[in-house]
Amino acid sequence: MTLAAVDEALVALLEEAGRRVEAAWESVREDAVSAEEVAALVASLGAAVAARVPPADPAATTPPRSPLSRRLLDMLRRAFLALVEERLPTVDPAALLGAMHGFEALSAELEPAWNERFTDRLSGPDGLELVVEVAHDLRSPLTSILFLAETLQRGRSGPVTPLQERQLGLIYSAAFGLSSVASDVIELARGGDRLIDLEPVPFSITDIIESVRDIVLPIAEEKGLEVRVVAPAHPARLGHPVALSRVLLNLTTNALKFTDQGYVEVGSVERGTALEFAVRDTGRGIPAASLAMLFEPFRRRQKDRDYAFSGSGLGLSICRKLVEAMGGELQVETGPSGTRFFFALDLAEVESGGMLGA
């Protein structure tokens, strides 16, 4: 199958995405000999993706299996998705799904023979790097799932029924959670020194809390739970919104996981000069035996349904690091009627003219 055999609009998007990747070749300079090498490999990758769009060409060739090929394919996928978002709703949904299948099929073919060297590498000096590579590989297809689910849910590819909208919300929430786990692995492997941006920026606490609610709402509705939100009287603040959003989202997702009836509440209230953030649930509480190791990463659960974000405990460990990096301390209160995670931050109040009191 040649490029001409695939949908012309799809071919045009792949070629334009390829040009964008070629223009950014400096980002892979350490793996590439020249811009010409990058251009040739990007063209080969684009053709290989097109050849794997169903019905795939059984005689399609595979580009070189190398770290450079994998990095460029990931860049090509991202550039392609950016172009699709710019061109919606003119992109045919069937062609888009076919292209994503082509990307995933080629990505799988470019993977090294893990079964032959996985154990040796994992126990060797580059074992940590292998874990990071695996996390990166997980995050790449999850980005595609998130993009497609959001696109479909918003009706950009055509109308959806209320049931389909709910199901797409669940798909998005699940993929978002998996992507967060992959990010946790990468950040812990790097020592956690890039968990937050260096400079605080103005943001709205209300916007963050409402965004968290919107993401987890499909999960709550599936379990018949209520999601309550509490916003401060003065929500415009100066701080680190990405880190704060991640903490609240992780804590809220975990609360929903261990709550079978009642509600989960996420919010913030003013406590003197500070803001107290909290996520509270009406779940069964955390067993006393689990509290001592609650914030430790890579712990092993003793049995199913033990309280943890995962068997590794990465989520709470990352939350604690993020809160500490923002100048707070993550604390927990728990009992038979529920659990409350909370922390206080000194976030300067701002207004349109700048930071108050400056």
Side-chain angles (χ1 to χ4, degrees), residues 10 15 22 27 30-31 39 41 43 47 57 66 70 94 120 140 190 197 216 274 278 282 286 322 339 345 350:
L10 174 60
E15 291 177 342
E22 292 171 24
S27 63
E30 68 272 20
D31 293 326
L41 186 51
D57 181 2
S66 67
R70 295 169 63 196
D120 289 340
S140 181
R190 290 171 173 169
D197 298 326
V216 304
T282 55
I286 305 174
L322 285 168
T339 298
L345 298 176
V350 297

mmCIF file of all heavy atoms in Angstrom, residues 10 15 22 27 30-31 39 41 43 47 57 66 70 94 120 140 190 197 216 274 278 282 286 322 339 345 350:
data_model
loop_
_atom_site.group_PDB
_atom_site.id
_atom_site.type_symbol
_atom_site.label_atom_id
_atom_site.label_comp_id
_atom_site.label_asym_id
_atom_site.label_seq_id
_atom_site.Cartn_x
_atom_site.Cartn_y
_atom_site.Cartn_z
ATOM 1 N N LEU A 10 -5.909 12.395 4.987
ATOM 2 C CA LEU A 10 -5.052 11.777 5.992
ATOM 3 C C LEU A 10 -3.590 11.877 5.581
ATOM 4 O O LEU A 10 -2.712 12.189 6.394
ATOM 5 C CB LEU A 10 -5.457 10.319 6.189
ATOM 6 C CG LEU A 10 -4.578 9.470 7.105
ATOM 7 C CD1 LEU A 10 -4.544 10.069 8.497
ATOM 8 C CD2 LEU A 10 -5.088 8.037 7.156
ATOM 9 N N GLU A 15 1.849 14.205 6.142
ATOM 10 C CA GLU A 15 2.980 14.901 5.534
ATOM 11 C C GLU A 15 3.249 16.242 6.211
ATOM 12 O O GLU A 15 4.401 16.613 6.437
ATOM 13 C CB GLU A 15 2.701 15.096 4.039
ATOM 14 C CG GLU A 15 2.723 13.789 3.252
ATOM 15 C CD GLU A 15 2.374 13.996 1.790
ATOM 16 O OE1 GLU A 15 1.796 15.063 1.457
ATOM 17 O OE2 GLU A 15 2.667 13.093 0.978
ATOM 18 N N GLU A 22 10.321 17.676 11.290
ATOM 19 C CA GLU A 22 11.617 17.995 10.682
ATOM 20 C C GLU A 22 12.109 19.366 11.139
ATOM 21 O O GLU A 22 13.303 19.560 11.386
ATOM 22 C CB GLU A 22 11.483 17.975 9.160
ATOM 23 C CG GLU A 22 11.239 16.593 8.570
ATOM 24 C CD GLU A 22 10.903 16.669 7.098
ATOM 25 O OE1 GLU A 22 11.299 17.669 6.455
ATOM 26 O OE2 GLU A 22 10.247 15.745 6.578
ATOM 27 N N SER A 27 15.684 18.992 18.712
ATOM 28 C CA SER A 27 15.348 18.337 19.978
ATOM 29 C C SER A 27 15.841 16.897 20.040
ATOM 30 O O SER A 27 15.849 16.291 21.112
ATOM 31 C CB SER A 27 13.829 18.368 20.199
ATOM 32 O OG SER A 27 13.159 17.631 19.190
ATOM 33 N N GLU A 30 20.985 14.796 19.860
ATOM 34 C CA GLU A 30 21.912 13.847 20.474
ATOM 35 C C GLU A 30 21.814 12.457 19.861
ATOM 36 O O GLU A 30 22.741 11.651 19.974
ATOM 37 C CB GLU A 30 21.669 13.753 21.990
ATOM 38 C CG GLU A 30 20.348 13.105 22.390
ATOM 39 C CD GLU A 30 19.201 14.078 22.482
ATOM 40 O OE1 GLU A 30 19.314 15.179 21.890
ATOM 41 O OE2 GLU A 30 18.199 13.756 23.133
ATOM 42 N N ASP A 31 20.686 12.145 19.195
ATOM 43 C CA ASP A 31 20.502 10.830 18.578
ATOM 44 C C ASP A 31 20.641 10.853 17.063
ATOM 45 O O ASP A 31 20.682 9.791 16.431
ATOM 46 C CB ASP A 31 19.114 10.268 18.919
ATOM 47 C CG ASP A 31 18.980 9.947 20.403
ATOM 48 O OD1 ASP A 31 19.980 9.540 21.000
ATOM 49 O OD2 ASP A 31 17.872 10.114 20.944
ATOM 50 N N ALA A 39 14.945 13.993 8.376
ATOM 51 C CA ALA A 39 13.928 14.153 7.338
ATOM 52 C C ALA A 39 13.629 12.821 6.646
ATOM 53 O O ALA A 39 12.463 12.476 6.410
ATOM 54 C CB ALA A 39 14.382 15.189 6.323
ATOM 55 N N LEU A 41 14.108 9.786 7.847
ATOM 56 C CA LEU A 41 13.471 8.841 8.765
ATOM 57 C C LEU A 41 12.022 9.225 9.036
ATOM 58 O O LEU A 41 11.142 8.358 9.120
ATOM 59 C CB LEU A 41 14.270 8.780 10.075
ATOM 60 C CG LEU A 41 13.830 7.722 11.101
ATOM 61 C CD1 LEU A 41 13.713 6.347 10.456
ATOM 62 C CD2 LEU A 41 14.819 7.687 12.271
ATOM 63 N N ALA A 43 10.031 10.768 6.933
ATOM 64 C CA ALA A 43 9.270 10.379 5.743
ATOM 65 C C ALA A 43 8.988 8.881 5.745
ATOM 66 O O ALA A 43 7.883 8.437 5.404
ATOM 67 C CB ALA A 43 10.044 10.766 4.485
ATOM 68 N N ALA A 47 5.202 7.113 5.947
ATOM 69 C CA ALA A 47 4.759 6.112 4.986
ATOM 70 C C ALA A 47 4.400 4.805 5.672
ATOM 71 O O ALA A 47 3.432 4.123 5.301
ATOM 72 C CB ALA A 47 5.849 5.881 3.943
ATOM 73 N N ASP A 57 -1.176 -3.138 4.708
ATOM 74 C CA ASP A 57 -0.412 -3.813 3.659
ATOM 75 C C ASP A 57 0.487 -4.864 4.300
ATOM 76 O O ASP A 57 1.400 -4.520 5.056
ATOM 77 C CB ASP A 57 0.431 -2.780 2.909
ATOM 78 C CG ASP A 57 1.239 -3.391 1.780
ATOM 79 O OD1 ASP A 57 1.107 -4.611 1.556
ATOM 80 O OD2 ASP A 57 2.009 -2.655 1.135
ATOM 81 N N SER A 66 15.181 1.745 16.412
ATOM 82 C CA SER A 66 16.203 2.508 17.137
ATOM 83 C C SER A 66 15.539 3.514 18.051
ATOM 84 O O SER A 66 14.366 3.860 17.856
ATOM 85 C CB SER A 66 17.124 3.242 16.151
ATOM 86 O OG SER A 66 16.400 4.253 15.468
ATOM 87 N N ARG A 70 11.858 5.705 17.509
ATOM 88 C CA ARG A 70 10.781 5.749 18.491
ATOM 89 C C ARG A 70 10.486 7.178 18.916
ATOM 90 O O ARG A 70 9.320 7.572 19.073
ATOM 91 C CB ARG A 70 11.145 4.882 19.691
ATOM 92 C CG ARG A 70 11.249 3.398 19.366
ATOM 93 C CD ARG A 70 11.865 2.616 20.489
ATOM 94 N NE ARG A 70 11.052 2.661 21.689
ATOM 95 C CZ ARG A 70 11.492 2.316 22.897
ATOM 96 N NH1 ARG A 70 12.735 1.923 23.057
ATOM 97 N NH2 ARG A 70 10.690 2.364 23.924
ATOM 98 N N ALA A 94 -13.470 8.242 10.768
ATOM 99 C CA ALA A 94 -12.963 6.921 10.384
ATOM 100 C C ALA A 94 -11.496 7.004 9.983
ATOM 101 O O ALA A 94 -10.682 6.136 10.343
ATOM 102 C CB ALA A 94 -13.800 6.357 9.244
ATOM 103 N N ASP A 120 17.675 -8.951 32.409
ATOM 104 C CA ASP A 120 19.059 -8.497 32.540
ATOM 105 C C ASP A 120 19.134 -6.982 32.690
ATOM 106 O O ASP A 120 19.874 -6.455 33.520
ATOM 107 C CB ASP A 120 19.883 -8.936 31.327
ATOM 108 C CG ASP A 120 20.127 -10.436 31.316
ATOM 109 O OD1 ASP A 120 20.002 -11.051 32.400
ATOM 110 O OD2 ASP A 120 20.428 -10.976 30.249
ATOM 111 N N SER A 140 2.502 7.384 25.868
ATOM 112 C CA SER A 140 2.286 7.801 24.485
ATOM 113 C C SER A 140 0.927 7.357 23.939
ATOM 114 O O SER A 140 0.142 8.200 23.472
ATOM 115 C CB SER A 140 3.421 7.267 23.600
ATOM 116 O OG SER A 140 3.241 7.677 22.272
ATOM 117 N N ARG A 190 13.417 10.371 38.388
ATOM 118 C CA ARG A 190 14.281 11.545 38.191
ATOM 119 C C ARG A 190 14.577 12.270 39.495
ATOM 120 O O ARG A 190 15.225 13.309 39.489
ATOM 121 C CB ARG A 190 13.600 12.510 37.215
ATOM 122 C CG ARG A 190 13.565 11.984 35.786
ATOM 123 C CD ARG A 190 12.698 12.853 34.908
ATOM 124 N NE ARG A 190 12.788 12.462 33.510
ATOM 125 C CZ ARG A 190 11.986 12.912 32.551
ATOM 126 N NH1 ARG A 190 11.035 13.774 32.864
ATOM 127 N NH2 ARG A 190 12.126 12.511 31.311
ATOM 128 N N ASP A 197 6.690 23.971 38.723
ATOM 129 C CA ASP A 197 7.358 25.069 38.046
ATOM 130 C C ASP A 197 8.067 25.948 39.072
ATOM 131 O O ASP A 197 7.638 26.066 40.222
ATOM 132 C CB ASP A 197 6.341 25.916 37.275
ATOM 133 C CG ASP A 197 5.636 25.111 36.189
ATOM 134 O OD1 ASP A 197 6.290 24.230 35.619
ATOM 135 O OD2 ASP A 197 4.448 25.371 35.939
ATOM 136 N N VAL A 216 -13.623 13.640 37.476
ATOM 137 C CA VAL A 216 -13.981 12.448 38.256
ATOM 138 C C VAL A 216 -15.482 12.160 38.261
ATOM 139 O O VAL A 216 -15.898 11.094 38.721
ATOM 140 C CB VAL A 216 -13.500 12.580 39.716
ATOM 141 C CG1 VAL A 216 -12.006 12.844 39.772
ATOM 142 C CG2 VAL A 216 -14.265 13.671 40.459
ATOM 143 N N ALA A 274 -3.729 31.719 55.533
ATOM 144 C CA ALA A 274 -3.477 30.550 54.690
ATOM 145 C C ALA A 274 -4.782 30.001 54.109
ATOM 146 O O ALA A 274 -5.875 30.358 54.532
ATOM 147 C CB ALA A 274 -2.767 29.469 55.499
ATOM 148 N N ALA A 278 -8.647 20.407 51.191
ATOM 149 C CA ALA A 278 -9.014 19.119 51.780
ATOM 150 C C ALA A 278 -9.839 18.292 50.802
ATOM 151 O O ALA A 278 -10.594 18.826 49.989
ATOM 152 C CB ALA A 278 -9.803 19.321 53.074
ATOM 153 N N THR A 282 -16.744 9.631 52.637
ATOM 154 C CA THR A 282 -17.553 8.902 53.617
ATOM 155 C C THR A 282 -17.310 7.401 53.488
ATOM 156 O O THR A 282 -18.211 6.593 53.663
ATOM 157 C CB THR A 282 -19.052 9.211 53.412
ATOM 158 O OG1 THR A 282 -19.416 8.916 52.052
ATOM 159 C CG2 THR A 282 -19.344 10.666 53.704
ATOM 160 N N ILE A 286 -9.155 4.314 56.825
ATOM 161 C CA ILE A 286 -7.885 3.639 56.575
ATOM 162 C C ILE A 286 -7.528 2.789 57.786
ATOM 163 O O ILE A 286 -7.498 3.292 58.915
ATOM 164 C CB ILE A 286 -6.760 4.663 56.314
ATOM 165 C CG1 ILE A 286 -7.158 5.598 55.161
ATOM 166 C CG2 ILE A 286 -5.451 3.962 56.008
ATOM 167 C CD1 ILE A 286 -6.183 6.726 54.935
ATOM 168 N N LEU A 322 4.669 16.828 46.169
ATOM 169 C CA LEU A 322 4.142 18.040 45.558
ATOM 170 C C LEU A 322 3.733 19.065 46.609
ATOM 171 O O LEU A 322 4.030 20.256 46.485
ATOM 172 C CB LEU A 322 2.949 17.701 44.664
ATOM 173 C CG LEU A 322 3.259 17.042 43.325
ATOM 174 C CD1 LEU A 322 1.983 16.497 42.697
ATOM 175 C CD2 LEU A 322 3.931 18.019 42.379
ATOM 176 N N THR A 339 -12.520 9.476 55.660
ATOM 177 C CA THR A 339 -11.129 9.921 55.687
ATOM 178 C C THR A 339 -11.037 11.335 55.133
ATOM 179 O O THR A 339 -11.791 11.713 54.231
ATOM 180 C CB THR A 339 -10.242 8.975 54.854
ATOM 181 O OG1 THR A 339 -10.291 7.667 55.427
ATOM 182 C CG2 THR A 339 -8.800 9.455 54.823
ATOM 183 N N LEU A 345 -1.638 26.013 52.535
ATOM 184 C CA LEU A 345 -0.660 26.713 51.713
ATOM 185 C C LEU A 345 -0.841 28.213 51.873
ATOM 186 O O LEU A 345 -1.970 28.700 51.958
ATOM 187 C CB LEU A 345 -0.817 26.350 50.234
ATOM 188 C CG LEU A 345 -0.618 24.886 49.824
ATOM 189 C CD1 LEU A 345 -0.923 24.727 48.350
ATOM 190 C CD2 LEU A 345 0.790 24.423 50.154
ATOM 191 N N VAL A 350 -4.514 37.686 44.600
ATOM 192 C CA VAL A 350 -4.203 38.561 43.455
ATOM 193 C C VAL A 350 -5.496 39.139 42.898
ATOM 194 O O VAL A 350 -6.597 38.653 43.153
ATOM 195 C CB VAL A 350 -3.458 37.815 42.337
ATOM 196 C CG1 VAL A 350 -2.117 37.312 42.818
ATOM 197 C CG2 VAL A 350 -4.294 36.652 41.820
#
